[in-house]
């Protein structure tokens, strides 16, 4: 699985925006540097919560409610993931690997 992009809304330090993984020459970057400090840490936590799903969220070592800027609104995260597939009709080719693009959206209601 490849993490390609994350869009987010109502986060405490990163606000509203997106994080795109750079691609050059048709290949997905092996490394993407996040900002140092609270914003970068928050982005990493959003990625882990959204990719891990409902089974992982209770085991995370941070409180999701602390990532939310306004508790009257939900924290929203949308991911674009690439799944490696062999011989699949609906594939995008990045580099030499066939990758199917999958969109995943998560609305994380954070009630007190």
């Amino acid at each position: 699985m490849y993490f390609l992009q994350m869009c987010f809304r109502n986060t405490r330090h990163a606000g509203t925006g997106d994080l795109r993984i750079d691609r050059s020459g048709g290949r997905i970057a092996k490394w993407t540097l996040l900002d140092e400090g609270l914003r970068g840490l928050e982005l990493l936590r959003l990625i882990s919560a959204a990719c891990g799903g409902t089974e992982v969220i209770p085991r995370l070592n941070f409180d999701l409610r602390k990532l939310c800027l306004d508790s009257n609104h939900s924290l929203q995260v949308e991911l674009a993931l690439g799944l490696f597939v062999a011989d699949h009709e609906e594939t995008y080719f990045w580099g030499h690997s066939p990758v199917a693009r999958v969109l995943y959206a998560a609305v994380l209601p954070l009630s007190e």
Side-chain angles (χ1 to χ4, degrees):
M1 180 183 318
Y2 301 96
F3 173 83
L4 304 173
Q5 179 181 356
M6 175 177 68
C7 297
F8 47 88
R9 181 175 293 148
N10 194 31
T11 66
R12 185 174 303 277
H13 299 289
T16 295
D18 67 339
L19 171 66
R20 295 173 188 260
I21 303 302
D22 295 328
R23 284 179 266 167
S24 61
R27 295 182 179 268
I28 299 170
K30 291 183 181 181
W31 295 97
T32 298
L33 298 177
L34 300 177
D35 294 338
E36 200 173 327
L38 294 175
R39 183 179 190 277
L41 179 60
E42 182 174 74
L43 292 174
L44 191 58
R45 287 176 170 171
L46 288 170
I47 292 167
S48 64
C51 288
T54 57
E55 291 181 18
V56 172
I57 288 174
R59 297 186 300 215
L60 295 174
N61 66 349
F62 57 88
D63 185 354
L64 275 177
R65 292 173 292 197
K66 293 186 179 177
L67 300 181
C68 191
L69 177 64
D70 181 357
S71 61
N72 293 321
H73 296 89
S74 296
L75 176 64
Q76 297 179 10
V77 181
E78 297 176 7
L79 299 178
L81 303 173
L83 302 176
F84 178 80
V85 292
D87 300 324
H88 193 274
E89 292 179 10
E90 296 179 26
T91 58
Y92 296 84
F93 288 88
W94 291 314
H96 302 290
S97 302
V99 176
R101 189 171 194 157
V102 175
L103 296 178
Y104 171 73
V107 176
L108 306 172
L110 302 173
S111 57
E112 294 294 324

